[in-house]
Amino acid sequence: MIKENVFLDQFRLLFDETDPSLITLDTKFKDLEEWNSLIILSLIVLCEDEFKIIISPNQIQNSKTVCDLIESLESNLK
Amino acid sequence: MINENFSNKKILVTGATSGIGLGISRMLNEYKAQLTISGRNQTKLNKISNEFELSNLNFNKGILADVCNLEDISNLVQEIDTLDGLVLNAGIIDYTPAKLITEKKVIDLFYTNVFSNFFLVQKLLHSKKIKKGASIVIISSIAAKVGVPGTSIYAASKGALNSYAKVLASELSLQNIRVNVVSPGVVKTDLIENTNVTSDFQMSNLSTKYPLGLGEIIDIVYLVQFLLSENSKWMTGSNIDIDGGYLLNN
Ligand SMILES: NC(=O)c1ccc[n+]([C@@H]2O[C@H](COP(=O)([O-])OP(=O)(O)OC[C@H]3O[C@@H](n4cnc5c(N)ncnc54)[C@H](OP(=O)(O)O)[C@@H]3O)[C@@H](O)[C@H]2O)c1
C-alpha cells in the first residue's frame, strides 16, 4: 500500500515553479503549467527509487489525477 | 583495401554477452580472430563461447568477469595472452534527473563505465600484455557531447572516458599502441530497450531526431573492425561520432 500523503509530498517535490498547495490528490497534474518531460522522467525515477515500483510512461499518460496515479502504481504491486 | 585478416590477432572484448559487444565479437569470430570474450553472466557467456568454438578454431575462451570487481579484472588479465586488440565496451546506462541522483547510481555508473577500464588497462600494461602496434577501441557515446536531460551521470562517465582515452593515446603512442574512441548515437540494444523510460512512443519520437534513423549494431561493428585493423594504422587519439546525423541538429 502506498501512503497517499507520503506520495503526495514526494510528488510535489518534483515541481520547482508550482505552488505545492495547488497540488492535491485531485489535481489533474498534466494540466499544471510546469508539467514537462523532465518531470515525467523524475516521476518514473521517484516511483522506482522511493517506492520500488516500475511505472511506464504510458501509465502516467493514462492517469488524470494524482489519485489515479497512485491507483495505477498500486495495480503494479499486484 | 580493408585488411580483414584477424586470424593472427589476439583480441579481448569486454561486455561481449549482448548488444554491441556481442556484434563486435561475432564479426571477429567470423574473421577467425584469436578471440577472448568477457561478460558477467555465466549462462550467456557459456552459450556464446560454445557457439564461437564451433565456428572458429582460433577462438580462445570466454572469461567470466564482473568489471566492477577488481579480483575478476586481475583474473581476466592473468588468463589472457598478450593482446593485439582490446575493445573496452562493457557499460551501463541510467536516466536520472540531476535532482534525484543517488550515491549508489553514481558509483555503479562510474565504476562500470570508467574505473573498470582504468584498472583493466593498468593491469594489462603493468603485466606487458598489450603488444606494440596493438589497437585499443573504447566505446563511448555521443551522450557526452550533448545535453540530453536525465543523462547527467551517464554522459559524465562517458566524458571522463573520452578524456582518459586522449591521455592514454598520448602515453601509449611511444609504444605504437593506438587508442581510439567510438561514440555511437542510439542503437537498439538491451541497454536502450530495458531502461525505465523506454516506450514505443519514445522510441519512435527518438528516431525522428536521427536523420538516418536509429543505428543498428552492425553500423558500429564495421567502424570497430576498421579501428582494430591495420588500415587505421595512422589513427590514434581520435573520437569518432557515429550517429546517423544526430549531431547535425543537436
Ligand atoms: N545502445 C546504444 O544506443 C549505445 C549508444 C552509445 C553508446 N553505447 C555504449 O555501448 C556499449 C555497449 O552497450 P550495448 O548497447 O551493447 O548494451 P548491452 O546490450 O546492455 O550490453 C552491455 C554489455 O556490457 C556488459 N556489462 C555491463 N555491466 C557489466 C559488468 N559490471 N561487468 C561485466 N560486464 C558488464 C553486459 O553484460 P550482461 O549481459 O551481463 O548485462 C553486456 O554484455 C556501452 O558502453 C554503452 O554505453 C551504447
Side-chain angles (χ1 to χ4, degrees):
Chain A
M1 273 289 279
I2 296 168
K3 290 203 176 103
E4 287 182 343
N5 282 342
V6 174
F7 183 83
L8 189 60
D9 283 347
Q10 298 277 349
F11 186 77
R12 284 175 173 148
L13 287 175
L14 301 180
F15 296 79
D16 292 312
E17 307 296 329
T18 311
D19 177 350
S21 67
L22 290 179
I23 306 175
T24 67
L25 289 172
D26 298 322
T27 302
K28 292 183 175 154
F29 57 88
K30 280 174 288 172
D31 293 344
L32 292 168
E33 208 181 321
E34 196 188 340
W35 181 250
N36 60 37
S37 57
L38 189 60
I39 296 181
I40 299 179
L41 176 59
S42 302
L43 178 56
I44 293 171
V45 172
L46 173 75
C47 295
E48 198 176 331
D49 290 359
E50 296 295 323
F51 298 94
K52 312 293 170 223
I53 304 174
I54 308 281
I55 186 167
S56 72
N58 294 343
Q59 267 179 291
I60 299 173
Q61 211 52 40
N62 295 335
S63 306
K64 277 203 177 92
T65 63
V66 178
C67 212
D68 294 342
L69 196 58
I70 295 174
E71 256 176 44
S72 181
L73 273 172
E74 284 187 332
S75 72
N76 288 10
L77 285 174
K78 284 173 193 153
Chain B
M1 194 182 71
I2 293 263
N3 171 2
E4 283 159 345
N5 185 8
F6 286 109
S7 63
N8 56 354
K9 295 205 169 179
K10 295 190 167 75
I11 301 176
L12 168 66
V13 180
T14 69
T17 47
S18 123
I20 294 172
L22 178 57
I24 294 167
S25 303
R26 281 227 157 87
M27 174 277 293
L28 290 169
N29 205 59
E30 267 171 39
Y31 283 106
K32 313 294 181 212
Q34 298 173 37
L35 178 65
T36 304
I37 57 172
S38 82
R40 64 179 163 173
N41 178 316
Q42 182 86 70
T43 317
K44 284 203 261 179
L45 192 68
N46 286 350
K47 188 169 166 271
I48 295 160
S49 301
N50 290 342
E51 174 198 320
F52 284 3
E53 252 165 30
L54 288 176
S55 51
N56 175 13
L57 286 176
N58 285 337
F59 178 71
N60 184 24
K61 59 182 155 188
I63 300 174
L64 192 70
D66 180 338
V67 295
C68 291
N69 181 323
L70 265 185
E71 228 173 277
D72 282 9
I73 294 182
S74 297
N75 287 341
L76 177 62
V77 172
Q78 248 175 15
E79 283 198 44
I80 54 173
D81 285 337
T82 308
L83 296 172
D84 301 280
L86 170 64
V87 183
L88 298 174
N89 163 79
I92 52 174
I93 200 168
D94 174 77
Y95 291 103
T96 301
K99 193 173 164 182
L100 299 178
I101 280 172
T102 60
E103 185 186 7
K104 182 177 184 319
K105 288 186 183 192
V106 174
I107 291 173
D108 283 353
L109 255 280
F110 269 78
Y111 215 109
T112 312
N113 293 1
V114 193
F115 303 159
S116 68
N117 295 318
F118 294 176
F119 301 138
L120 175 57
V121 171
Q122 182 274 325
K123 287 181 192 307
L124 286 169
L125 291 172
H126 202 254
S127 49
K128 310 247 179 296
K129 286 206 167 166
I130 306 183
K131 250 187 221 158
K132 288 191 191 317
S135 167
I136 300 178
V137 179
I138 299 180
I139 309 298
S140 181
S141 168
I142 55 163
K145 303 177 184 183
V146 286
V148 177
T151 65
S152 59
I153 326 175
Y154 179 70
S157 76
K158 294 299 189 180
L161 205 50
N162 291 349
S163 302
Y164 170 70
K166 273 254 177 260
V167 178
L168 191 66
S170 161
E171 289 184 9
L172 300 190
S173 63
L174 302 172
Q175 301 171 58
N176 196 26
I177 296 169
R178 302 182 293 111
V179 181
N180 292 290
V181 176
V182 171
S183 292
V186 170
V187 177
K188 272 198 169 192
T189 64
D190 288 354
L191 184 91
I192 299 299
E193 299 195 26
N194 292 346
T195 57
N196 49 1
V197 293
T198 315
S199 65
D200 288 348
F201 167 74
Q202 273 165 318
M203 268 301 197
S204 59
N205 226 10
L206 198 60
S207 62
T208 62
K209 298 192 170 160
Y210 283 79
L212 304 184
L214 296 183
E216 293 175 21
I217 291 172
I218 194 70
D219 298 319
I220 312 305
V221 169
Y222 287 137
L223 179 55
V224 174
Q225 179 183 2
F226 170 68
L227 291 172
L228 285 173
S229 81
E230 266 132 50
N231 291 76
S232 58
K233 69 181 175 51
W234 202 49
M235 280 180 77
T236 194
S238 297
N239 186 322
I240 305 161
D241 301 323
I242 173 161
D243 66 354
Y246 178 88
L247 289 175
L248 294 172
N249 306 318
N250 289 281

